[in-house]
Amino acid sequence: MQLVYKGKTKDVYSLENGNYLLKFKDDVTGENGVFDPGANSVGLSIEGVGRAGLELSQFFFEKIHQAGISTHFVNANLDEQTMEVKPAKVFGKGLEVICRQKAVGSFFRRYGDYIEEASDLPQYVEFTIKDDDRQDPPITKEGLVVLNILSAEQVDRTIELTRQITTIVSDELKAHGLDLYDIKFEFGTLKDSDEVVLIDEISGGNMRVYKDGQYIEPLKLHELLFKN
Amino acid sequence: MQLVYKGKTKDVYSLENGNYLLKFKDDVTGENGVFDPGANSVGLSIEGVGRAGLELSQFFFEKIHQAGISTHFVNANLDEQTMEVKPAKVFGKGLEVICRQKAVGSFFRRYGDYIEEASDLPQYVEFTIKDDDRQDPPITKEGLVVLNILSAEQVDRTIELTRQITTIVSDELKAHGLDLYDIKFEFGTLKDSDEVVLIDEISGGNMRVYKDGQYIEPLKLHELLFKN
């Protein structure tokens, strides 16, 4: 097994069977020591956050598979903090897809003149290009096609999958008395295929979850889901 | 006639006949003394730019009317530097619509990792919300509908009109050996109507025009169009 990439919150190793191993770290994105799922840099380390993120990812990937939706997920090893995934190609140099059920975060910062904070949104889907030098610029559906990052069909499929997966995650959280305000995904295509699949992780670091209007930190989210 | 609004590049007066009078000033948007049609603040004053902008606006509004497309334009008085317009309602608190035929300006700054500067774009239409405090945030078609700024039908009509008017302006410039790289419009609805119409102005300050790959400043553009 060989290290092929050191990421902000995960390292990636190649396996002899052709798959990859994602090693979850205890680093989370944020700024000035405050966790922010929308931030672009690693802001702080929280002990146990890697394992918690992996357990949440495993849990949600399995729910998504049960719903008949393909992903890159193969299996997880909680003690090693690793997740085995199929080889996948990201769109362009990486694309983030955000699904918003409530107006918070950067959506509210941008459009606060037109909407009250935490108002309902109809699973509003946004795209941002992963580009640290350019602060992850937002891009429209048409822009993705113009820049040859996705085909028009892949854009539509990505939006459809985003909403389906958001509903699965949201319903699961709701069963625990929790509200999913927004969630961020990455999609790609599996090797030798054009099919759009969910890749990356599905953890507390990728979503904003609230309980009775109070934001729930990633580790607390893990505790509420698995330790009750 | 009464002053009702002092804008960055124009002042607005109400007329007794119910129309408005736009007084074109010699201020243009830019930063650090350099003209930039994409900038949000007034960067410099250029003598004659108000009159030149008005003459260009009059010229293009008349071309657009000849093509059977409605606008708010009634008439212009070059000596007074004023344009009479019908009363119109902006969308939300003001919306800018950009049509891009070449990848320059903020488009290239955002997506330079995916496209060469000045590459062709297929009349790519973008929207930004006029909000100085939030640096005129970009917004998607779906976002405009979610925030109740435009209906879905008005979005489609606005895009259609934007491309039609861009073609009219672009063809006119091409006849003078000039290339329109991008152009910025404002749309609204006339009083007691839901019809989307072009409002504001159509001058050198709202577009990027090039000749043989060299950017043409607003006053030079006026000179090339009217003094040959």
Side-chain angles (χ1 to χ4, degrees):
Chain A
M1 136 172 157
Q2 200 180 337
L3 181 69
V4 290
Y5 180 72
K6 278 188 92 68
K8 284 179 206 152
T9 60
K10 290 187 291 292
D11 294 333
V12 182
Y13 298 86
S14 60
L15 295 175
E16 286 183 4
N17 67 2
N19 286 344
Y20 288 89
L21 205 66
L22 309 182
K23 172 91 176 171
F24 282 58
K25 300 194 279 193
D26 282 345
D27 297 329
V28 297
T29 53
E31 270 171 20
N32 306 319
V34 178
F35 168 71
D36 177 359
N40 207 5
S41 54
V42 165
L44 65 165
S45 272
I46 304 175
E47 204 189 318
V49 89
R51 186 186 163 111
L54 178 59
E55 195 170 0
L56 276 164
S57 292
Q58 177 184 31
F59 176 75
F60 285 123
F61 273 121
E62 286 173 353
K63 291 279 170 197
I64 292 162
H65 286 186
Q66 282 163 26
I69 298 170
S70 308
T71 77
H72 75 152
F73 178 80
V74 178
N75 61 50
N77 182 327
L78 291 181
D79 291 332
E80 301 283 338
Q81 284 190 205
T82 57
M83 183 166 96
E84 184 177 341
V85 299
K86 295 178 199 161
K89 220 168 133 294
V90 298
F91 293 117
K93 296 168 189 175
L95 182 72
E96 291 191 331
V97 188
I98 301 116
C99 188
R100 301 183 180 278
Q101 304 196 123
K102 296 269 192 184
V104 292
S106 67
F107 186 93
F108 180 69
R109 284 197 294 275
R110 270 175 278 145
Y111 309 129
D113 217 10
Y114 289 89
I115 196 163
E116 301 247 327
E117 190 162 15
S119 301
D120 287 336
L121 293 174
Q123 294 203 326
Y124 178 70
V125 176
E126 277 182 341
F127 298 90
T128 60
I129 288 179
K130 288 179 89 164
D131 186 339
D132 285 352
D133 294 340
R134 296 176 176 84
Q135 289 82 47
D136 289 354
I139 186 156
T140 65
K141 296 194 296 186
E142 296 76 18
L144 289 168
V145 177
V146 162
L147 296 177
N148 286 311
I149 297 174
L150 273 83
S151 68
E153 296 70 32
Q154 286 177 324
V155 170
D156 290 341
R157 178 63 180 152
T158 299
I159 292 172
E160 186 186 19
L161 278 172
T162 296
R163 292 195 170 128
Q164 286 173 354
I165 296 168
T166 299
T167 299
I168 292 168
V169 174
S170 187
D171 286 352
E172 200 59 48
L173 293 169
K174 205 170 284 168
H176 288 80
L178 300 166
D179 299 312
L180 179 68
Y181 278 25
D182 57 31
I183 184 164
K184 184 171 71 176
F185 299 110
E186 264 194 83
F187 290 90
T189 51
L190 294 184
K191 205 179 161 185
D192 306 322
S193 165
D194 281 335
E195 193 195 344
V196 178
V197 296
L198 182 64
I199 60 173
D200 199 43
E201 63 179 80
I202 315 168
S203 71
N206 295 63
M207 57 181 88
R208 286 194 184 87
V209 177
Y210 284 67
K211 188 182 170 79
D212 304 325
Q214 288 293 312
Y215 172 68
I216 304 293
E217 296 268 351
L219 273 183
K220 180 74 183 170
L221 173 64
H222 175 262
E223 193 185 311
L224 289 173
L225 280 178
F226 296 111
K227 296 188 180 163
N228 279 345
Chain B
M1 139 170 153
Q2 200 179 338
L3 181 69
V4 290
Y5 179 74
K6 278 189 93 69
K8 284 180 207 153
T9 60
K10 291 188 289 294
D11 293 334
V12 182
Y13 298 86
S14 61
L15 296 175
E16 284 182 7
N17 66 2
N19 287 344
Y20 289 89
L21 205 67
L22 309 182
K23 172 92 176 169
F24 283 57
K25 300 195 279 193
D26 282 345
D27 297 329
V28 297
T29 54
E31 270 172 20
N32 306 320
V34 179
F35 167 70
D36 178 359
N40 207 6
S41 54
V42 166
L44 65 165
S45 271
I46 304 175
E47 204 188 317
V49 88
R51 188 186 162 111
L54 178 59
E55 195 169 2
L56 276 164
S57 291
Q58 177 183 31
F59 176 75
F60 286 122
F61 273 121
E62 285 172 354
K63 292 280 171 197
I64 292 161
H65 286 186
Q66 282 163 25
I69 298 171
S70 307
T71 76
H72 73 154
F73 178 81
V74 179
N75 60 51
N77 183 325
L78 290 181
D79 291 331
E80 301 283 339
Q81 284 190 206
T82 56
M83 183 166 95
E84 183 176 340
V85 298
K86 296 179 198 160
K89 217 168 135 294
V90 299
F91 293 116
K93 294 167 192 177
L95 181 71
E96 291 191 332
V97 187
I98 302 116
C99 188
R100 301 182 180 278
Q101 303 197 123
K102 297 268 192 184
V104 291
S106 67
F107 187 92
F108 179 69
R109 284 197 294 275
R110 271 175 277 144
Y111 308 129
D113 216 9
Y114 289 89
I115 196 163
E116 300 246 328
E117 191 162 15
S119 302
D120 287 337
L121 292 175
Q123 294 201 326
Y124 178 71
V125 176
E126 278 182 341
F127 298 91
T128 60
I129 289 179
K130 288 179 89 164
D131 187 339
D132 285 351
D133 295 339
R134 296 177 176 85
Q135 289 82 46
D136 290 354
I139 186 156
T140 65
K141 297 194 296 185
E142 296 76 18
L144 289 168
V145 177
V146 161
L147 295 178
N148 286 311
I149 296 173
L150 273 82
S151 68
E153 296 69 33
Q154 286 177 324
V155 170
D156 290 340
R157 178 63 179 150
T158 300
I159 292 173
E160 185 186 18
L161 279 172
T162 296
R163 292 196 170 127
Q164 287 174 354
I165 296 168
T166 299
T167 298
I168 292 168
V169 175
S170 186
D171 286 351
E172 200 58 50
L173 293 170
K174 205 170 285 170
H176 289 80
L178 300 166
D179 299 311
L180 179 67
Y181 278 25
D182 56 31
I183 184 164
K184 183 171 73 176
F185 299 110
E186 265 195 82
F187 291 89
T189 51
L190 295 184
K191 205 179 163 186
D192 306 322
S193 164
D194 282 334
E195 194 195 342
V196 177
V197 296
L198 182 65
I199 60 173
D200 199 44
E201 63 180 80
I202 314 169
S203 71
N206 295 64
M207 57 182 86
R208 286 195 184 88
V209 178
Y210 284 67
K211 187 182 170 81
D212 305 324
Q214 289 293 311
Y215 172 69
I216 305 293
E217 296 268 350
L219 272 183
K220 179 75 183 168
L221 173 64
H222 175 262
E223 193 185 310
L224 289 173
L225 279 178
F226 296 111
K227 295 186 181 165
N228 279 348

